[in-house]
Amino acid sequence: MTTTTGFRRRALLGTTLGTTLAAGLGGLPLFAIRRAEAADHVLRFSNNVPATHPLNIRLREAAEAITAETQGKVELRVFPSNQLGADTDVLSQVRSGAVQMMTLSGLILSTLVPVAAINGVGFAFPDYPTVWKAMDGELGAHVRGEIAKAGLIAFDKIWDNGFRQITSASRPVTTPADLANFKIRVPVSPLWTSMFTAFGSAPTSINFAEVYSALQTRIVDGQENPLAVIETAKLYEVQKYCAMTNHMWDGFWLLANRRAFTSLPGPLRETVERILNAAALRQREDVAKLNQNLASQLSERGLVFNTPDPAPFRAKLAQAGFYGEWKGKFGPQAWGLLEAAVGGLA
Ligand code: X2X
């Protein structure tokens, strides 16, 4: 009896004290303070998309599940929108351990792990079932193996970015001829530069953190991204046209610093992996739905859509030697795994 009363009084006192403290700390909710104090392992997790993108919605959910299932021993602290730096900087930080985790496009990762760009080969994937068959199958396993050799951990399930579409400010893209001399932002990655050079465009490598302002100030005329990114990053505010080219599928590898992640006791590590891999599967469904439904919403916001025939775009890449060049760079083993999943490439 006494114990119960004592416990109650302390709990009450704790709450009052906590509230006062929280007010002093700018009104942070009490649970945030307690959680930050209690976690034995804090994993700082960076990504480049806005807080409203399905990637961040599912990551926040996963973070809550991790706190609950590990009884607060592990805290996944998610930083959206490049708050910890642009992709190429954060990749260095994840390698050094200053940041413990991030999601990153395989194409950008390819500056460290060349074969990680292979999913970006132009027009390689016809649809989502083929994407997941390849990335959850042998091709993805091969890429994860190479990532491991570079000292990083890649989680089993890649997250979806989506099929990419080309937006522009000054004129629509209807044929490959419209891409000639087109000033387009591409992410920092040799494959992207090579692809738009093959189209005859003038590509500029810019981290996603700078894309909105590069478009706004007209440093470039256009960019290419899946609709979910165009919508959540509000690129429709600074672009007029959107060509549904589906010229590339891209995903986000979930990467962890090996030392930081393997310092977690085994059972905690397994919990984090299980929760995040399950979150990736849910995020894939969200993005697929969004990419199906967003066109009408974006038209209402003023973006003018067209759906070009992809055949001449693909022919242009073949004619410029794009496929031959990248087949040589990736080598017969990786190229063979890609073709096993998607069929023969030009
Ligand atoms: O930088 C981009 O355009 C983005 C958000 O799609 C990637 O992460 C590759």
Side-chain angles (χ1 to χ4, degrees), residues 48-49 87 103-105 107-108 161 164 185-188 192 206-209 211 223-226 229 250-252:
N48 66 0
V49 287
D87 285 332
T103 39
L104 185 65
S105 159
L107 278 77
I108 300 175
N161 189 349
R164 301 178 77 94
R185 171 270 173 173
V186 291
V188 184
W192 251 302
I206 301 175
N207 269 308
F208 191 69
V211 167
Q223 65 86 45
E224 44 82 63
N225 248 303
V229 169
D250 191 26
F252 294 112

Side-chain angles (χ1 to χ4, degrees), residues 265-285:
L268 293 181
R269 210 154 64 212
E270 280 157 28
T271 302
V272 172
E273 277 182 74
R274 173 172 44 77
I275 290 173
L276 283 169
N277 284 327
L281 297 185
R282 284 194 285 272
Q283 187 264 2
R284 292 177 184 181
E285 284 174 23

Side-chain angles (χ1 to χ4, degrees), residues 3 21 58 60 73 121 141 180 208 212-213 234 241 251 255 257 272 304-305 339:
T3 323
L21 250 176
R58 295 303 184 180
R60 281 198 298 274
K73 288 197 190 73
V121 169
F208 191 69
Y212 187 97
S213 67
K234 299 192 193 314
Y241 303 100
L255 305 174
N257 174 278
V272 172
V304 178
F305 280 85
E339 285 194 325

